[in-house]
């Protein structure tokens, strides 16, 4: 794997700091962290190298505090066309036992931490999707807080077609987003579907014409950047923890989060702005 490196550049009115890890780029500028899957000639298919690079980039993201929103995008015309099957086939020479251990280790050590870290980030995460979104690409998109796609994007879980059950939280996110029966259909049949269907299923928040996709993502990012940061972090945490919590435990968590946010200056600003009939100016926004 190429060594990860940082590149710092001045760009006039803003300052950009770029983290490169071979097949993944992380560019932080104007309060937005853009994580780009960077194998455009391979439709950004997930190779073993990209698994490792993605983990390094997400760890870098988790260690930083100079951004308010994350955008995950694919370089070129596609988000991610699933796993790199040519790369995976290189493991066929291993014994069954060794191959099982190797792929389990790849998922446990590189894929799982990526999804877990993105879920636990305090900042909202937006998937910007165009072209193919398959396999882990679909799991990654489902694990983001928001998903905005071009209207010509195509989706599939794809796993069953190569004899795999799924990874990246596919069996976790899909039932919670589309319901158990639809999740079973998506995973067990692996059919392709378009952006209109993905929007209807709740996998997408917005759909835009390809030429308007970046502007639509920018509008959403701008709205989030103007919001109260502590509140956004508390909402993300409450939503994540709610899956395993009882009603009583979740009510208690809400009470504690409510108390923490009420002590913040953004609470005072929000209430004051409402009473004054003006737009709130949150301190971090």
């Amino acid at each position: 794997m190429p060594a990860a490196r940082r590149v710092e550049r001045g760009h006039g009115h803003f300052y950009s700091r770029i983290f490169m890890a071979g097949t993944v780029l992380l560019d932080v500028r104007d309060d937005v962290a853009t994580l780009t899957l960077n194998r455009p000639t391979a439709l950004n298919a997930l190779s073993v190298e990209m698994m490792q690079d993605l983990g390094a980039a997400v760890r870098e993201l988790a260690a930083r505090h100079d951004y308010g929103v994350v955008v995950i995008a694919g370089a070129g015309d596609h988000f991610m066309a699933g796993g790199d099957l040519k790369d995976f086939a290189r493991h066929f020479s291993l014994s069954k036992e060794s191959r099982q251990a190797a792929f389990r280790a790849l998922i446990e050590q590189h894929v799982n931490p990526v999804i877990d870290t993105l879920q636990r980030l305090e900042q909202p995460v937006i998937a910007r999707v165009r072209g193919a979104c398959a396999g882990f690409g679909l799991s990654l998109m489902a694990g983001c807080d928001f998903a905005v796609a071009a209207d010509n994007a195509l989706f599939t879980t794809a796993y069953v077609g190569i004899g795999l059950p799924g990874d990246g939280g596919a069996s976790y996110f899909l039932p919670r987003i589309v319901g158990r029966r639809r999740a079973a259909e998506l995973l067990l049949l692996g059919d392709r579907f378009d952006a209109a269907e993905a929007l209807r299923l709740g996998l997408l928040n917005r759909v835009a014409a390809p030429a308007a996709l970046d502007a639509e993502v920018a509008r959403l990012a701008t709205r989030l950047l103007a919001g109260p940061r502590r509140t956004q972090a508390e909402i993300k945490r409450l939503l994540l923890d709610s899956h395993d919590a009882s009603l009583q435990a979740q009510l208690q968590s809400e009470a504690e989060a409510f108390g923490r946010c009420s002590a913040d200056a953004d609470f005072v600003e929000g209430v004051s702005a409402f009473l004054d009939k003006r737009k709130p100016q949150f301190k971090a926004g």
Side-chain angles (χ1 to χ4, degrees):
M1 179 180 85
R5 60 193 178 97
R6 290 183 179 84
V7 179
E8 297 193 355
R9 305 185 303 191
H11 288 265
H13 70 286
F14 58 80
Y15 197 65
S16 172
R17 289 181 290 276
I18 300 177
F19 173 87
M20 298 183 182
T23 63
V24 177
L25 305 178
L26 175 60
D27 187 0
V28 181
R29 66 178 77 193
D30 294 342
D31 217 13
V32 177
T34 301
L35 192 156
T36 303
L37 309 169
N38 193 36
R39 297 187 71 215
T41 58
L43 281 64
N44 300 313
L46 184 69
S47 63
V48 172
E49 179 187 359
M50 182 182 270
M51 287 185 194
Q52 297 168 336
D53 290 347
L54 189 57
V58 170
R59 287 193 298 274
E60 170 77 6
L61 192 63
R64 303 174 70 141
H65 305 283
D66 55 345
Y67 63 93
V69 171
V70 179
V71 174
I72 301 180
D77 296 328
H78 301 275
F79 186 68
M80 177 185 283
D84 187 328
L85 302 190
K86 292 181 180 178
D87 198 5
F88 293 174
R90 295 189 181 98
H91 292 74
F92 287 176
S93 60
L94 298 176
S95 68
K96 291 182 179 180
E97 294 77 12
S98 295
R99 192 163 72 237
Q100 176 179 335
F103 276 98
R104 175 174 174 172
L106 283 171
I107 300 301
E108 289 179 342
Q109 296 172 17
H110 301 295
V111 171
N112 292 354
V114 166
I115 299 300
D116 185 59
T117 300
L118 289 173
Q119 283 280 295
R120 295 184 185 282
L121 287 179
E122 294 186 349
Q123 297 84 354
V125 182
I126 305 169
R128 167 210 176 268
V129 180
R130 65 170 73 246
C133 181
F136 178 71
L138 182 60
S139 299
L140 180 61
M141 182 195 80
C144 294
D145 301 303
F146 295 88
V148 182
D151 59 16
N152 60 356
L154 290 173
F155 305 84
T156 176
T157 60
Y159 294 106
V160 71
I162 56 171
L164 291 174
D167 65 351
S171 61
Y172 179 90
F173 296 118
L174 289 178
R176 289 165 170 79
I177 296 172
V178 306
R180 186 183 181 282
R181 288 192 185 277
R182 270 307 174 89
E185 180 179 346
L186 295 178
L187 286 166
L188 289 170
L189 299 181
D191 292 338
R192 291 200 307 176
F193 53 100
D194 60 17
E197 178 68 2
L199 181 66
R200 190 184 70 80
L201 289 171
L203 286 165
L204 298 175
N205 297 93
R206 291 163 174 67
V207 171
L213 179 61
D214 288 339
E216 188 65 32
V217 171
R219 276 192 290 271
L220 178 56
T222 298
R223 286 192 62 185
L224 291 167
L225 288 172
R229 301 288 172 88
R230 179 189 293 274
T231 300
Q232 291 172 345
E234 293 285 4
I235 289 171
K236 284 199 62 172
R237 184 188 59 77
L238 286 168
L239 289 173
L240 179 61
D241 292 348
S242 71
H243 294 310
D244 300 316
S246 66
L247 174 59
Q248 292 77 16
Q250 192 67 11
L251 289 171
Q252 181 60 34
S253 292
E254 288 181 345
E256 293 170 2
F258 200 99
R260 286 190 293 269
C261 287
S262 72
D264 196 80
D266 279 342
F267 170 67
V268 176
E269 169 61 13
V271 172
S272 299
F274 181 84
L275 295 176
D276 294 341
K277 294 183 172 60
R278 60 178 175 81
K279 186 176 180 180
Q281 299 294 319
F282 296 117
K283 63 182 180 181

